[in-house]
Amino acid sequence: MGPTDSGPDGTTTGRDGSGPDAGPDEGGLLSYRLRRERRLSSLYATARSLAALGEVDEVLTSIVRHAHELIGSDIAYLSLLDAEGNLTLRASAGTISAEFSSARMPPGIGLGGRVIRSRAPFWVSNYGESDVVRHNSAFDLLVPNEGLTALLGVPLLVGDRAVGVLFAADRSERPFEQDEVALLSAFADHAAIALNNARLYEESRESLQRLREAYRTIEEQVASVERAAAVHEALTHVVLTGGGPGDIARLLVEHLRGAVTVLDRDDRVVATRVCDGPPAATAREPARELLEQARRTGRCASAPDSGGAVCSVTVVHAGGSHLGSLSLTRSAAPGSADVRMLERSAQIMGLLILMRDARVEAEERVRGELLVELLSRPPLHPAQRDRALARGVDVDRLDVLVVADCPGKPTSDVVRQLNALSPEWSGLAGEYLGRATMLLRADDAEEAASALHRRLRRALGLPVLVAADRVDGREWARSFGLTWRCVEVMRSLGATDRGSATVQYAMYAIVFDPERAHDLDRFLADCLGPLLEYDRRRSTALVATTAAYFAQGGNLSRTARFLHVHMNTLLKRLDRVGVLLGDGWRLPDRALRLHLAVRLHQLRGALDGEDDG
């Protein structure tokens, strides 16, 4: 051990070999006592100031500043052990470089490592030349740049555990006196207590903050659960009382604010609700892309809209059926609890729709069955009258029968629309012999046909033919036969989108009235008998040629083009017609009768599904 190094027990000796027991003269002893008293007084004052600090960083800064003042060294710095056991500089007083401030000393290396290992003070008068400490090459490169020569380190002890090292350093070679070491050690003991208290205070504050945050989170979760429970109770009430989309939209607005829009399975708006107070939003249909995303994922989809608000959409579905959607628009994006509430509302909406559809289907089935019984099982049974009365229908007053036909829609869709309209007419609707049929009360069959046509046209979005017939007594079955045949006649005459009473087609009644089939046969035989017989035996088309001739106003060129035959062929056919019917068949009176006959023949062929050539 060199004369300027500390001993193995951490005590120091001066260069002249004098120890604390050397006998100074009386003046020197007095000076030593005064210096010692000043240092002790400063130590106590410093300890009191450290005890008043609470922040760890403030305590570290204060420790090195007071150590620097107590010892009077060029530099004072403090390093703490990190989780890996490295000594990391945390605070300093005096001028040091950024490189030195960021230096780390591995465990057991350098003077600090020796202090940590021994938990006792240690100093060297010249760190660079000392061979009693394990050097670190990276740290040794920094020492000359800082000009550090003499280095003293004392441990920061918390109980028996060293948590760091407090250093005092000079830029010139010198020993550290025993009272300096003792003073810095005593200060380090106070500093360690203050540092530990600061750590405990900071941990307590952080724990308190975490506790407050946890309590706040619990309060928010409790509020969310209570709100969810309230919404669930309200939604259950809606289900039990048979509520609808408007009730669900109102509940969502009350609890989530903003604006709610409900769409049906065809993406048509069926309900909208907007909150009264802020933050209000405008009810609008969701963007098509957002709606498709919600359908594709089956979960709530959110995105900002063009107005800066956030629109959230969730679909209403059951199994593989799309039943509609719910959308929420408001200024703030929904939280997870709000999303769950929106999705749960969509599930309740799906349940309500299924319940409603089940009720509607059951009622439609009952009404349809009752309609079929009235049309196919006369006379009327008292049980049938009672079942009808239970649905607000007086069968004795059903005096109009309607048949509707929409080629672009299944018959079941037309029946569903007629069922929805039937309560307004105190009627019954259903499918009978493949036709959408309705029995109702009306003063004017023509007005009823026109009104139903308008409503069906708007609901189905496609052309519809509607025919209505005034029922004679309770002959509903006969009226049904007349009405559906009238619809076919209307279509054969070129009508595709119209509502009319059968009386408007009275001149064609001989075609669609089954009771007048004998009259029609006799009329056609009188007018067209020879032509029909000739066509049957020779497989010719004289009747069709005659019909085309009349349809083209007697113009031979247009008739030939219409039939796609040569003019000579047409002339030969017309000559044959003249031979069979007589030369006067083109005279006005006979031509009118013949024209009507071929037209009725065509209409009957259309009704019977035949091709007259």
Side-chain angles (χ1 to χ4, degrees), residues 102-236:
S102 61
R104 279 187 171 189
M105 188 66 72
I109 304 300
L111 188 139
R114 180 159 182 170
V115 172
I116 291 294
R117 187 172 59 252
S118 64
R119 297 194 300 278
F122 194 83
W123 62 266
V124 293
S125 58
N126 190 320
Y127 181 81
E129 296 180 359
S130 175
D131 58 359
V132 295
V133 295
R134 295 174 59 189
H135 287 266
N136 176 268
S137 57
F139 186 76
D140 287 353
L141 292 176
L142 298 175
V143 170
N145 296 334
E146 297 299 327
L148 299 182
T149 304
L151 187 62
L152 165 64
V154 296
L156 295 171
L157 298 175
V158 177
D160 294 333
R161 181 172 59 90
V163 297
V165 179
L166 178 62
F167 294 96
D170 279 327
R171 293 190 170 91
S172 59
E173 184 176 345
R174 78 168 183 93
F176 285 91
E177 300 297 335
Q178 198 170 22
D179 59 341
E180 290 180 306
V181 176
L183 182 63
L184 190 61
S185 296
F187 177 72
D189 292 339
H190 289 292
I193 294 172
L195 179 60
N196 191 52
N197 289 339
R199 279 180 168 174
L200 294 175
Y201 171 74
E202 188 169 287
E203 290 175 359
S204 299
R205 187 173 58 183
E206 291 176 354
S207 298
L208 180 60
Q209 182 63 27
R210 287 194 298 270
L211 183 61
R212 288 174 178 170
E213 292 175 356
Y215 182 72
R216 185 163 52 250
T217 300
I218 292 174
E219 284 185 328
E220 293 173 354
Q221 291 178 346
V222 169
S224 177
V225 169
E226 290 177 347
R227 185 176 62 171
V231 172
H232 183 74
E233 181 179 355
L235 290 174
T236 303

Side-chain angles (χ1 to χ4, degrees), residues 261-280:
T261 302
V262 183
L263 304 183
D264 63 9
R265 51 169 53 93
D266 297 319
D267 296 335
R268 293 176 298 194
V269 177
V270 294
T272 56
R273 294 292 186 275
V274 180
C275 68
D276 298 329

Side-chain angles (χ1 to χ4, degrees), residues 489 510-511 517 520-521 524 532 599-610:
V489 169
I510 194 172
V511 177
L520 178 61
D521 290 339
L524 293 180
L532 293 170
R599 192 71 180 110
L600 293 176
H601 174 70
Q602 287 178 321
L603 292 175
R604 187 168 70 171
L607 286 176
D608 296 339
E610 299 175 356

Side-chain angles (χ1 to χ4, degrees), residues 221-262:
Q221 291 178 346
V222 169
S224 177
V225 169
E226 290 177 347
R227 185 176 62 171
V231 172
H232 183 74
E233 181 179 355
L235 290 174
T236 303
H237 180 73
V238 170
V239 173
L240 295 177
T241 56
D247 298 307
I248 290 183
R250 175 180 54 78
L251 286 175
L252 288 175
V253 166
E254 289 178 358
H255 292 275
L256 300 181
R257 317 300 295 166
V260 173
T261 302
V262 183

Side-chain angles (χ1 to χ4, degrees), residues 158-441:
V158 177
D160 294 333
R161 181 172 59 90
V163 297
V165 179
L166 178 62
F167 294 96
D170 279 327
R171 293 190 170 91
S172 59
E173 184 176 345
R174 78 168 183 93
F176 285 91
E177 300 297 335
Q178 198 170 22
D179 59 341
E180 290 180 306
V181 176
L183 182 63
L184 190 61
S185 296
F187 177 72
D189 292 339
H190 289 292
I193 294 172
L195 179 60
N196 191 52
N197 289 339
R199 279 180 168 174
L200 294 175
Y201 171 74
E202 188 169 287
E203 290 175 359
S204 299
R205 187 173 58 183
E206 291 176 354
S207 298
L208 180 60
Q209 182 63 27
R210 287 194 298 270
L211 183 61
R212 288 174 178 170
E213 292 175 356
Y215 182 72
R216 185 163 52 250
T217 300
I218 292 174
E219 284 185 328
E220 293 173 354
Q221 291 178 346
V222 169
S224 177
V225 169
E226 290 177 347
R227 185 176 62 171
V231 172
H232 183 74
E233 181 179 355
L235 290 174
T236 303
H237 180 73
V238 170
V239 173
L240 295 177
T241 56
D247 298 307
I248 290 183
R250 175 180 54 78
L251 286 175
L252 288 175
V253 166
E254 289 178 358
H255 292 275
L256 300 181
R257 317 300 295 166
V260 173
T261 302
V262 183
L263 304 183
D264 63 9
R265 51 169 53 93
D266 297 319
D267 296 335
R268 293 176 298 194
V269 177
V270 294
T272 56
R273 294 292 186 275
V274 180
C275 68
D276 298 329
T282 303
R284 58 173 68 92
E285 295 184 39
R288 177 60 54 183
E289 298 79 8
L290 197 60
L291 188 57
E292 290 299 329
Q293 179 184 349
R295 285 182 180 177
R296 186 173 60 256
T297 61
R299 301 302 303 273
C300 181
S302 301
D305 63 10
S306 57
V310 178
C311 183
S312 302
V313 181
T314 184
V315 294
V316 181
H317 55 78
S321 301
H322 174 70
L323 303 178
S325 64
L326 285 172
S327 65
L328 169 68
T329 303
R330 66 181 190 183
S331 57
S336 58
D338 295 341
V339 169
R340 288 195 299 272
M341 191 180 301
L342 196 61
E343 292 178 341
R344 182 177 301 170
S345 299
Q347 294 174 351
I348 297 298
M349 178 76 75
L351 178 61
L352 289 175
I353 292 174
L354 290 178
M355 293 173 59
R356 182 200 63 191
D357 289 350
R359 289 195 303 268
V360 170
E361 289 176 3
E363 184 63 22
E364 288 179 353
R365 185 171 60 254
V366 171
R367 286 176 173 267
E369 291 172 353
L370 185 56
L371 175 74
V372 170
E373 291 175 3
L374 294 179
L375 294 178
S376 60
R377 297 178 185 175
L380 185 66
H381 193 276
Q384 294 172 328
R385 179 180 283 106
D386 293 340
R387 288 165 58 197
L389 286 175
R391 286 158 180 81
V393 178
D394 185 354
V395 295
D396 294 319
R397 302 185 65 182
L398 297 177
D399 52 5
V400 173
L401 187 139
V402 172
V403 170
D405 182 54
C406 179
K409 291 286 186 179
T411 303
S412 58
D413 289 355
V414 184
V415 170
R416 184 175 296 110
Q417 297 301 327
L418 286 177
N419 263 303
L421 296 172
S422 61
E424 300 179 24
W425 302 83
S426 301
L428 297 170
E431 182 176 342
Y432 184 65
L433 299 181
R435 308 279 176 163
T437 308
M438 182 175 175
L439 273 173
L440 54 93
R441 292 170 47 189

Side-chain angles (χ1 to χ4, degrees), residues 18-173:
S18 61
D21 297 328
D25 56 20
E26 185 176 350
L29 181 59
L30 179 60
S31 175
Y32 171 77
R33 288 177 177 174
L34 290 175
R35 186 170 65 251
R36 180 179 177 85
E37 288 176 0
R38 283 196 302 270
R39 287 182 172 177
L40 289 175
S41 177
S42 179
L43 174 63
Y44 296 146
T46 300
R48 284 195 301 271
S49 66
L50 286 178
L53 298 176
E55 298 287 344
V56 171
D57 291 338
E58 291 181 359
V59 171
L60 293 174
T61 302
S62 181
I63 288 173
V64 295
R65 179 170 55 81
H66 285 100
H68 186 246
E69 294 173 355
L70 279 174
I71 304 303
S73 58
D74 294 330
I75 297 174
Y77 65 96
L78 185 149
S79 296
L80 296 179
L81 289 173
D82 61 17
E84 288 77 26
N86 300 311
L87 276 173
T88 303
L89 192 145
R90 295 288 304 275
S92 63
T95 304
I96 61 173
S97 64
E99 292 81 3
F100 190 83
S101 297
S102 61
R104 279 187 171 189
M105 188 66 72
I109 304 300
L111 188 139
R114 180 159 182 170
V115 172
I116 291 294
R117 187 172 59 252
S118 64
R119 297 194 300 278
F122 194 83
W123 62 266
V124 293
S125 58
N126 190 320
Y127 181 81
E129 296 180 359
S130 175
D131 58 359
V132 295
V133 295
R134 295 174 59 189
H135 287 266
N136 176 268
S137 57
F139 186 76
D140 287 353
L141 292 176
L142 298 175
V143 170
N145 296 334
E146 297 299 327
L148 299 182
T149 304
L151 187 62
L152 165 64
V154 296
L156 295 171
L157 298 175
V158 177
D160 294 333
R161 181 172 59 90
V163 297
V165 179
L166 178 62
F167 294 96
D170 279 327
R171 293 190 170 91
S172 59
E173 184 176 345

